[in-house]
Every structure is written in structure tokens, then in C-alpha cells.
Amino acid sequence: MTLLTYQVFKTIADVGSFHKAADILGLTPSAISHAISSMENELGFSVLTRSKAGVSLTNYGEQLLPYVNAVLNCDESLKQEIAELNGLKQGKVKIGVFSSVCTSWLPEILHSFKKKYTEIDIEVFQGTYDDVVYWIKNGVVDLGFLSVSSAKDIPIEPLYRDELLCVLPSGTKANKSTNYIDIEEMKHHQFVTQRDSTDADIQNFLKENSLQVQSNYHVVDDLSTIALVEKGFGICLMPKLVMTDIPYKVDSYPTKPSASRIIGLAAMNPNFMAPAVRTMFNHIVDKYQENEFKK
């Protein structure tokens, strides 16, 4: 099998269509079909299922995809290394991000990086912690922002300590004499919660402090959560980074006991990054790593 065959397979897996893959790769639909047929004949099993709804991976195809991604990523690394030896800064970097980093940091990262490295292309994938973990492990992205607690066995470089705040509808804090919200006060409120995959650090705080929260609202998006709080459907815990320039009338207070998440930059093989990826990694670390995490 050739690299083109691998690229055809990956592109179809990404877009779910032979015709769309042909447009993206600049090939005819018949060439795409021939490449997949040849691949399946050589493998001895089907990797794609065709139906009226589109094209999807078979179980065998799903198992092969991470290895195909690894081959294509190695090819990209080789091209970047050759460009590096020739004194050129070029290539592609794929980054996975979660919501608050996407809105607060990413625009400035992209702007400052592209200004300095015009020949390096950047592709961004936004999702939950679980999405980013999956993308890193399966070679979909080169780098990913995660909280340290959600990274688990993925190597991660700590960057930033982000305080957790308790968010209430404006003017509803019961104890006006304190500038924080303690556990006892939280127990008197219903919560608007997010799924574990969205912010594991908040779920950890609830468990560590024996907060058996009751909630009828389980959302994924940060701003959707805060919007429900504004309208009086409950309170929530939210990282401070999320609360910058929000358009909702809510009050936020530090928690007691205090809590935070540590945001980091993760890569599956940090010692073997392609030149463009290493350049982006260093750019982000230099820009956002707080003193307490510097080595």
C-alpha cells in the first residue's frame, strides 16, 4: 500500500464520503474507489461500509485508523525535518482544544504564531477533554490542551493554574458577610452540572467534598451552563478562565476550600515531535507557562 492509499482511507474516514474525499484530494471518484478496493484486496478484509446514509468504518477499519494516522504523521514529520535541514520553517500542526482555551487563548496563539511562522499551517479540533485525549492517542492531533487530571497517562507540560469559582444568579448570595462560597452554602442549592468528560476537575471537587448534587440540567457548553444559572435554574462551578467577558448577569466567588484545575499542553511522544510541532509547543509554553511550573 502507498501513502496515497493511506491518505485516501483517512480522508474518507474523516468526511464519510467518497465524492467529498475525491474533491479534497483532487482525485476522481473512480480513483478513490479503486484505491480502497485495492487496499481491501491486499488486506483481505473490508475497511469501509457503504450505505445510503454514507460511508463508515468497519470494526477492522476503526482498528487500523490509528496506525494509518501514525504512518501519515511520520511522513509529515519527515517532510518537516527535510525542510528544517534546508533552513525552512514549514509543515502542519494539528491542535486539540477544549472550550475555554479555544475562546480565551487560541485566537492570540494563532495570530502570534502565524505572524512569525507564515509557512506552517495549523488545524484546530475543538471538543471535550475525552475528545482531546482520544485525538492525541489516535494521532488525530499532534498537541492537545488538557487539564493535568484528565491527561492520565499522556505526557503533559503544566502551564497555568485556573481557579474554580462558584457561580450564582446575580444578587442571590445568602451570606453577604463573606467573599467566598463554602460547602455548606453550596448544599442549599440545586446545581447545573456538566458531563464528566467536559470538566473532570469540577466533578472531582464535588466528590472530594461529598457534594451530592441534584441537577436536571446536564449540558456540555460552558456558556449554556452560565445562561441557565443566570435564569435561576441553579448554581454551578466554573473555571475562572471561562468567566472572562461573559455576557450574563451572574456573580462568581472563590470556593472554600479553594480549588483549581491545572491546564497543560499534552503530546503523546514529546521527545519525538516534528519540527513544526516542536516550534508550536515551545511557542505556547513560552507564552503561557506560569513561573510556578517553569523548570
Side-chain angles (χ1 to χ4, degrees), residues 243-257:
M243 301 304 295
T244 305
D245 297 326
I246 58 167
Y248 301 106
K249 295 180 180 179
V250 293
D251 296 329
S252 59
Y253 298 89
T255 64
K256 188 175 182 180

PDB file of all heavy atoms in Angstrom, residues 243-257:
ATOM      1  N   MET A 243     -14.866  32.686  32.873  1.00  0.00           N
ATOM      2  CA  MET A 243     -15.681  33.810  33.314  1.00  0.00           C
ATOM      3  C   MET A 243     -15.201  35.167  32.791  1.00  0.00           C
ATOM      4  O   MET A 243     -15.723  36.204  33.180  1.00  0.00           O
ATOM      5  CB  MET A 243     -15.704  33.839  34.850  1.00  0.00           C
ATOM      6  CG  MET A 243     -16.250  32.567  35.493  1.00  0.00           C
ATOM      7  SD  MET A 243     -17.916  32.134  34.937  1.00  0.00           S
ATOM      8  CE  MET A 243     -18.848  33.515  35.593  1.00  0.00           C
ATOM      9  N   THR A 244     -14.248  35.167  31.893  1.00  0.00           N
ATOM     10  CA  THR A 244     -13.746  36.420  31.328  1.00  0.00           C
ATOM     11  C   THR A 244     -14.701  36.958  30.260  1.00  0.00           C
ATOM     12  O   THR A 244     -15.009  36.266  29.299  1.00  0.00           O
ATOM     13  CB  THR A 244     -12.351  36.194  30.701  1.00  0.00           C
ATOM     14  OG1 THR A 244     -11.478  35.630  31.684  1.00  0.00           O
ATOM     15  CG2 THR A 244     -11.775  37.497  30.190  1.00  0.00           C
ATOM     16  N   ASP A 245     -15.187  38.171  30.472  1.00  0.00           N
ATOM     17  CA  ASP A 245     -16.030  38.868  29.477  1.00  0.00           C
ATOM     18  C   ASP A 245     -17.278  38.079  29.086  1.00  0.00           C
ATOM     19  O   ASP A 245     -17.673  38.049  27.909  1.00  0.00           O
ATOM     20  CB  ASP A 245     -15.213  39.186  28.214  1.00  0.00           C
ATOM     21  CG  ASP A 245     -14.061  40.135  28.497  1.00  0.00           C
ATOM     22  OD1 ASP A 245     -14.220  41.004  29.364  1.00  0.00           O
ATOM     23  OD2 ASP A 245     -13.010  39.988  27.850  1.00  0.00           O
ATOM     24  N   ILE A 246     -17.933  37.439  30.045  1.00  0.00           N
ATOM     25  CA  ILE A 246     -19.161  36.716  29.724  1.00  0.00           C
ATOM     26  C   ILE A 246     -20.340  37.690  29.647  1.00  0.00           C
ATOM     27  O   ILE A 246     -20.367  38.695  30.355  1.00  0.00           O
ATOM     28  CB  ILE A 246     -19.454  35.601  30.759  1.00  0.00           C
ATOM     29  CG1 ILE A 246     -19.575  36.203  32.162  1.00  0.00           C
ATOM     30  CG2 ILE A 246     -18.395  34.523  30.721  1.00  0.00           C
ATOM     31  CD1 ILE A 246     -20.164  35.246  33.165  1.00  0.00           C
ATOM     32  N   PRO A 247     -21.351  37.408  28.834  1.00  0.00           N
ATOM     33  CA  PRO A 247     -22.455  38.350  28.630  1.00  0.00           C
ATOM     34  C   PRO A 247     -23.649  38.092  29.563  1.00  0.00           C
ATOM     35  O   PRO A 247     -24.767  38.451  29.217  1.00  0.00           O
ATOM     36  CB  PRO A 247     -22.846  38.091  27.173  1.00  0.00           C
ATOM     37  CG  PRO A 247     -22.582  36.638  26.983  1.00  0.00           C
ATOM     38  CD  PRO A 247     -21.389  36.305  27.844  1.00  0.00           C
ATOM     39  N   TYR A 248     -23.413  37.473  30.734  1.00  0.00           N
ATOM     40  CA  TYR A 248     -24.532  37.092  31.606  1.00  0.00           C
ATOM     41  C   TYR A 248     -24.410  37.777  32.965  1.00  0.00           C
ATOM     42  O   TYR A 248     -23.305  38.016  33.468  1.00  0.00           O
ATOM     43  CB  TYR A 248     -24.567  35.571  31.785  1.00  0.00           C
ATOM     44  CG  TYR A 248     -24.723  34.825  30.484  1.00  0.00           C
ATOM     45  CD1 TYR A 248     -23.642  34.154  29.913  1.00  0.00           C
ATOM     46  CD2 TYR A 248     -25.933  34.823  29.808  1.00  0.00           C
ATOM     47  CE1 TYR A 248     -23.765  33.492  28.702  1.00  0.00           C
ATOM     48  CE2 TYR A 248     -26.069  34.159  28.598  1.00  0.00           C
ATOM     49  CZ  TYR A 248     -24.993  33.501  28.054  1.00  0.00           C
ATOM     50  OH  TYR A 248     -25.118  32.842  26.858  1.00  0.00           O
ATOM     51  N   LYS A 249     -25.583  38.087  33.554  1.00  0.00           N
ATOM     52  CA  LYS A 249     -25.619  38.741  34.866  1.00  0.00           C
ATOM     53  C   LYS A 249     -25.587  37.684  35.957  1.00  0.00           C
ATOM     54  O   LYS A 249     -26.628  37.185  36.414  1.00  0.00           O
ATOM     55  CB  LYS A 249     -26.871  39.608  34.980  1.00  0.00           C
ATOM     56  CG  LYS A 249     -26.885  40.780  34.011  1.00  0.00           C
ATOM     57  CD  LYS A 249     -28.150  41.621  34.159  1.00  0.00           C
ATOM     58  CE  LYS A 249     -28.142  42.780  33.181  1.00  0.00           C
ATOM     59  NZ  LYS A 249     -29.385  43.603  33.283  1.00  0.00           N
ATOM     60  N   VAL A 250     -24.381  37.322  36.354  1.00  0.00           N
ATOM     61  CA  VAL A 250     -24.174  36.340  37.416  1.00  0.00           C
ATOM     62  C   VAL A 250     -23.080  36.869  38.338  1.00  0.00           C
ATOM     63  O   VAL A 250     -22.317  37.767  37.975  1.00  0.00           O
ATOM     64  CB  VAL A 250     -23.765  34.967  36.852  1.00  0.00           C
ATOM     65  CG1 VAL A 250     -24.919  34.334  36.070  1.00  0.00           C
ATOM     66  CG2 VAL A 250     -22.512  35.071  35.995  1.00  0.00           C
ATOM     67  N   ASP A 251     -23.022  36.318  39.534  1.00  0.00           N
ATOM     68  CA  ASP A 251     -21.947  36.626  40.473  1.00  0.00           C
ATOM     69  C   ASP A 251     -21.080  35.387  40.630  1.00  0.00           C
ATOM     70  O   ASP A 251     -21.579  34.257  40.639  1.00  0.00           O
ATOM     71  CB  ASP A 251     -22.515  37.008  41.844  1.00  0.00           C
ATOM     72  CG  ASP A 251     -23.345  38.282  41.790  1.00  0.00           C
ATOM     73  OD1 ASP A 251     -23.046  39.151  40.950  1.00  0.00           O
ATOM     74  OD2 ASP A 251     -24.300  38.397  42.588  1.00  0.00           O
ATOM     75  N   SER A 252     -19.779  35.584  40.758  1.00  0.00           N
ATOM     76  CA  SER A 252     -18.870  34.453  40.956  1.00  0.00           C
ATOM     77  C   SER A 252     -17.991  34.705  42.167  1.00  0.00           C
ATOM     78  O   SER A 252     -17.544  35.832  42.407  1.00  0.00           O
ATOM     79  CB  SER A 252     -18.015  34.225  39.712  1.00  0.00           C
ATOM     80  OG  SER A 252     -17.254  35.368  39.395  1.00  0.00           O
ATOM     81  N   TYR A 253     -17.746  33.643  42.947  1.00  0.00           N
ATOM     82  CA  TYR A 253     -16.991  33.726  44.190  1.00  0.00           C
ATOM     83  C   TYR A 253     -15.996  32.571  44.272  1.00  0.00           C
ATOM     84  O   TYR A 253     -16.276  31.461  43.779  1.00  0.00           O
ATOM     85  CB  TYR A 253     -17.925  33.638  45.397  1.00  0.00           C
ATOM     86  CG  TYR A 253     -18.944  34.747  45.492  1.00  0.00           C
ATOM     87  CD1 TYR A 253     -20.182  34.623  44.878  1.00  0.00           C
ATOM     88  CD2 TYR A 253     -18.670  35.917  46.206  1.00  0.00           C
ATOM     89  CE1 TYR A 253     -21.132  35.636  44.963  1.00  0.00           C
ATOM     90  CE2 TYR A 253     -19.611  36.931  46.298  1.00  0.00           C
ATOM     91  CZ  TYR A 253     -20.834  36.788  45.672  1.00  0.00           C
ATOM     92  OH  TYR A 253     -21.775  37.794  45.762  1.00  0.00           O
ATOM     93  N   PRO A 254     -14.856  32.791  44.911  1.00  0.00           N
ATOM     94  CA  PRO A 254     -13.949  31.675  45.188  1.00  0.00           C
ATOM     95  C   PRO A 254     -14.648  30.641  46.062  1.00  0.00           C
ATOM     96  O   PRO A 254     -15.566  30.962  46.824  1.00  0.00           O
ATOM     97  CB  PRO A 254     -12.785  32.338  45.938  1.00  0.00           C
ATOM     98  CG  PRO A 254     -12.875  33.790  45.603  1.00  0.00           C
ATOM     99  CD  PRO A 254     -14.335  34.086  45.405  1.00  0.00           C
ATOM    100  N   THR A 255     -14.220  29.421  45.958  1.00  0.00           N
ATOM    101  CA  THR A 255     -14.782  28.361  46.806  1.00  0.00           C
ATOM    102  C   THR A 255     -13.948  28.206  48.071  1.00  0.00           C
ATOM    103  O   THR A 255     -12.768  28.567  48.112  1.00  0.00           O
ATOM    104  CB  THR A 255     -14.790  27.020  46.058  1.00  0.00           C
ATOM    105  OG1 THR A 255     -13.441  26.629  45.778  1.00  0.00           O
ATOM    106  CG2 THR A 255     -15.581  27.120  44.758  1.00  0.00           C
ATOM    107  N   LYS A 256     -14.585  27.683  49.092  1.00  0.00           N
ATOM    108  CA  LYS A 256     -13.875  27.316  50.314  1.00  0.00           C
ATOM    109  C   LYS A 256     -14.278  25.895  50.687  1.00  0.00           C
ATOM    110  O   LYS A 256     -15.460  25.666  50.975  1.00  0.00           O
ATOM    111  CB  LYS A 256     -14.216  28.284  51.442  1.00  0.00           C
ATOM    112  CG  LYS A 256     -13.355  28.064  52.689  1.00  0.00           C
ATOM    113  CD  LYS A 256     -13.638  29.121  53.746  1.00  0.00           C
ATOM    114  CE  LYS A 256     -12.741  28.914  54.962  1.00  0.00           C
ATOM    115  NZ  LYS A 256     -12.991  29.922  56.013  1.00  0.00           N
ATOM    116  N   PRO A 257     -13.358  24.927  50.623  1.00  0.00           N
ATOM    117  CA  PRO A 257     -11.925  25.081  50.344  1.00  0.00           C
ATOM    118  C   PRO A 257     -11.662  25.508  48.902  1.00  0.00           C
ATOM    119  O   PRO A 257     -12.464  25.242  48.007  1.00  0.00           O
ATOM    120  CB  PRO A 257     -11.371  23.670  50.594  1.00  0.00           C
ATOM    121  CG  PRO A 257     -12.525  22.769  50.315  1.00  0.00           C
ATOM    122  CD  PRO A 257     -13.739  23.503  50.793  1.00  0.00           C
TER     123      PRO A 257
END
